[in-house]
Amino acid sequence: MNLPKGKDFLPPWPLRSGHVQTMLSSSGVRRFLLPQAAQTVLQGAEPVMVDGGDGVRLTGAYTAQRTQPRSRGLAVLFHGWEGSVDSTYVLQTGSRLLADGWDVFRLNFRDHGDSHQLNEALFHSCRIDEVVHALGDIATRYPGRPMALAGFSLGGNFALRAALRGPAAGLPLSYALAVCPIIDPGEGLFSLEEAAPWFYQAYFMHKWRRSLQAKQAAFPHREYFELSELKQNLRGLTASLVARHTDFGSLEAYLDGYSVAGRALEGLHVPVTILTARDDPVIPVDAFEQLELPANVELDIAAYGGHCGFIRGWDMTSFTDDYIAARFNAVAVE
């Protein structure tokens, strides 16, 4: 079976800039221009409260396929940092998989997608245990086979860690795919501060502060941060998060806590694909090239695509739709 490769993605000249790809990926312009078919996963979607263990509650949405007599399996999708189950790229991917006969579950991480009121403790990127537990709950509720997982950016990082932990946790996970995942959080943080244009950090900080304000409003008796802390840059506010709301002794220890750099993925037993772009301005490609991976992991570095963009043309559809669907469908055939 010939599967699409990153090298196959060659957008028209105006879209070959990694910055243009990145900025368009989550823009309102893209959502407006996308064809209606990119949002069909919303039709008949069932809101679901998922058990994250230890009293943690996470939200999600389940959509059953109606195109085939029998479902190909269950596709679970993870959004990126400060995204949600309704992020454009999640809806677009989910709609494509639905059309191909997959049941689709879109999971919100803690404090994402208007779920701030459900859990008093704050979200942070090392909360992998509750995500793995939630996957177990999802698998029990919807026991379709196979179960395949795809995540974007930070969601891609969570997908890789979930694949690492899946066998020991008893997850019926057959395959995982990560698009532009965070590999080395320390390097990524440095890149956003020092190498990436200023507006990327400004964009992420605006979304994060807005999320923290929603959290504070949901639990007014708590003081999550002082006003002076909220005015800090990305590194400073992350350090305050670590000191106030985690058991990690330092910012470096926290960043190491969700790193999948170097040899961290050598223990993967689930087949995995990692897709990234050499022109990604948010996550440096060096971290991908330094990975030490087992034979069942496919590392695919495209020349173009930006950060989770891979936008093919002015209809704003993404190459990742075909890419993910082809690999999920191959898993269903096996």
Side-chain angles (χ1 to χ4, degrees), residues 210-270:
R210 186 175 60 186
S211 176
L212 293 175
Q213 289 168 354
K215 189 72 172 184
Q216 187 64 73
F219 296 95
H221 63 281
R222 289 284 305 271
E223 183 184 61
Y224 289 101
F225 294 100
E226 295 179 359
L227 183 59
S228 60
E229 292 174 309
L230 290 173
K231 294 180 178 179
Q232 297 178 104
N233 62 12
L234 180 59
R235 181 176 292 269
L237 187 51
T238 305
S240 294
L241 168 74
V242 172
R244 277 179 170 263
H245 300 288
T246 79
D247 295 327
F248 293 95
S250 67
L251 174 61
E252 291 72 21
Y254 166 70
L255 297 174
D256 286 344
Y258 67 103
S259 172
V260 291
R263 303 177 63 179
L265 298 176
E266 280 188 328
L268 274 169
H269 296 291
V270 175

Side-chain angles (χ1 to χ4, degrees), residues 19-315:
H19 295 301
V20 171
Q21 286 279 338
T22 301
M23 289 186 288
L24 284 175
S25 65
S26 299
S27 70
V29 171
R30 182 185 183 196
R31 184 177 286 249
F32 177 76
L33 292 176
L34 276 171
Q36 188 62 36
Q39 298 191 30
T40 55
V41 74
L42 292 171
Q43 299 170 12
E46 169 195 350
V48 182
M49 189 80 70
V50 181
D51 179 15
D54 296 327
V56 173
R57 294 174 295 167
L58 303 178
T59 61
Y62 172 77
T63 311
Q65 68 86 29
R66 296 181 176 86
T67 62
Q68 297 191 20
R70 182 183 178 189
S71 169
R72 288 181 184 264
L74 179 65
V76 181
L77 303 180
F78 289 170
H79 58 77
W81 185 41
E82 295 304 333
S84 77
V85 298
D86 293 325
S87 291
T88 301
Y89 52 90
V90 175
L91 296 181
Q92 188 171 328
T93 301
S95 296
R96 171 55 193 275
L97 292 169
L98 195 70
D100 277 10
W102 288 81
D103 299 325
V104 177
F105 194 99
R106 297 169 285 136
L107 180 70
N108 275 320
F109 298 138
R110 180 195 293 236
D111 295 346
H112 290 73
D114 299 323
S115 66
H116 299 80
Q117 76 285 357
L118 292 179
N119 306 284
E120 187 168 341
L122 283 172
F123 170 81
H124 61 71
S125 299
C126 290
R127 294 198 183 277
I128 183 62
D129 289 345
E130 63 194 46
V131 173
V132 171
H133 197 284
L135 286 173
D137 186 23
I138 293 166
T140 300
R141 291 169 184 252
Y142 310 103
R145 299 294 185 274
M147 181 182 190
L149 173 62
F152 302 81
S153 193
L154 180 60
N157 172 280
F158 269 91
L160 293 173
R161 287 183 287 154
L164 267 174
R165 295 177 176 225
L171 294 180
L173 187 62
S174 298
Y175 176 70
L177 192 153
V179 178
C180 299
I182 295 173
I183 299 297
D184 184 339
E187 183 180 88
L189 186 65
F190 175 82
S191 175
L192 270 178
E193 289 181 326
E194 303 294 338
W198 64 270
F199 47 81
Y200 288 116
Q201 183 172 179
Y203 171 79
F204 285 119
M205 290 303 295
H206 171 72
K207 296 188 75 173
W208 191 16
R209 291 188 182 109
R210 186 175 60 186
S211 176
L212 293 175
Q213 289 168 354
K215 189 72 172 184
Q216 187 64 73
F219 296 95
H221 63 281
R222 289 284 305 271
E223 183 184 61
Y224 289 101
F225 294 100
E226 295 179 359
L227 183 59
S228 60
E229 292 174 309
L230 290 173
K231 294 180 178 179
Q232 297 178 104
N233 62 12
L234 180 59
R235 181 176 292 269
L237 187 51
T238 305
S240 294
L241 168 74
V242 172
R244 277 179 170 263
H245 300 288
T246 79
D247 295 327
F248 293 95
S250 67
L251 174 61
E252 291 72 21
Y254 166 70
L255 297 174
D256 286 344
Y258 67 103
S259 172
V260 291
R263 303 177 63 179
L265 298 176
E266 280 188 328
L268 274 169
H269 296 291
V270 175
V272 165
T273 297
I274 300 171
L275 172 67
T276 193
R278 194 166 295 280
D279 65 354
D280 186 334
V282 177
I283 301 177
V285 73
D286 293 353
F288 294 91
E289 294 175 327
Q290 295 167 13
L291 288 171
E292 298 183 33
L293 301 169
N296 60 330
V297 177
E298 173 191 25
L299 174 61
D300 195 354
I301 302 177
Y304 306 102
H307 186 64
C308 297
F310 295 95
I311 296 169
R312 288 183 289 211
W314 302 113
D315 65 352

